[in-house]
Amino acid sequence: MPPERREVQVRPGVDSDLEALTDLYNHYVRETPITFDTAVFTPEERRPWLLSHPEDGPHRLMVAVETDPEGNSQRILGYATSSAFRPKPAYETSVEVTVYLAPDAGRRGIGTLLYKALFEALAGEDLHRAYAGIAQPNEASTRLHERFGFRHIGTYREVGRKFGRYWDVAWYEKDL
């Protein structure tokens, strides 16, 4: 019997996604240096993060979900966000962007779908630049960002310590 065909849809994140999004993020907290958070979150601890990404404005949350042939949502494959770059008012036209994928969702074009949707959603906003910090090494993330027109602007050397070692973070910039 052939496997059931599944589609991937990208939509804004909603409150009912919080538990799955928290679980996905906690994987990266526990298993990788991709985030410099070192303690896992509960969904309630993560709720302010979710609420800081409404469906409109410059700070967005886009979620990729795998759906069955009838269009019923299944599991979350990943998400992309645009968030405040820095808290001071002069930075309001800059955002920091990121993508997180479920561990088994890589190499399927999900990151590309998420960034495409995110940048389309941001197109009408009063934004000038997007920035992305990529803990090194992370070739897949570097390729994704370069595909979307980001250029390397510098590297913070040994800026974060996790798992008993120091990690570099390469910074990338994109005109919006």
Side-chain angles (χ1 to χ4, degrees), residues 6-169:
R6 302 223 176 242
E7 297 290 326
V8 176
Q9 295 178 344
V10 177
R11 59 164 173 74
V14 295
D15 191 64
S16 60
D17 297 329
L18 182 58
E19 188 170 339
L21 292 172
T22 302
D23 288 345
L24 193 159
Y25 186 72
N26 282 340
H27 161 78
Y28 287 93
V29 172
R30 284 188 311 272
E31 306 293 330
T32 78
I34 288 173
T35 177
F36 285 175
D37 278 319
T38 58
V40 297
F41 291 85
T42 66
E44 283 310 308
E45 290 169 330
R46 197 84 165 130
R47 186 172 301 287
W49 166 84
L50 179 79
L51 295 175
S52 72
H53 295 92
E55 282 195 45
D56 59 0
H59 305 143
R60 305 282 182 107
L61 166 63
M62 304 304 291
V63 175
V65 292
E66 190 172 52
T67 60
D68 62 22
E70 290 78 41
N72 300 312
S73 287
Q74 301 295 316
R75 72 182 185 101
I76 291 177
L77 298 174
Y79 66 90
T81 61
S82 59
S83 303
F85 176 66
R86 297 284 184 266
K88 296 180 180 172
Y91 290 117
E92 286 179 357
T93 61
S94 297
V95 290
E96 186 171 344
V97 297
T98 193
V99 171
Y100 284 92
L101 299 180
D104 63 341
R107 304 177 76 75
R108 294 177 48 189
I110 308 297
T112 298
L113 289 173
L114 283 164
Y115 261 180
K116 183 176 183 294
L118 179 65
F119 291 122
E120 285 173 1
L122 296 176
E125 299 296 332
D126 181 24
L127 293 173
H128 186 61
R129 295 271 196 277
Y131 295 91
I134 304 172
Q136 296 298 299
N138 189 336
E139 290 180 33
S141 186
T142 298
R143 281 193 310 271
L144 174 67
H145 286 86
E146 288 174 346
R147 190 175 318 121
F148 276 87
F150 283 81
R151 64 184 183 280
H152 182 254
I153 56 171
T155 299
Y156 292 158
R157 306 264 306 133
E158 297 184 351
V159 68
R161 186 172 66 186
K162 188 173 180 181
F163 303 135
R165 68 169 274 203
Y166 288 95
W167 301 91
D168 295 349
V169 174

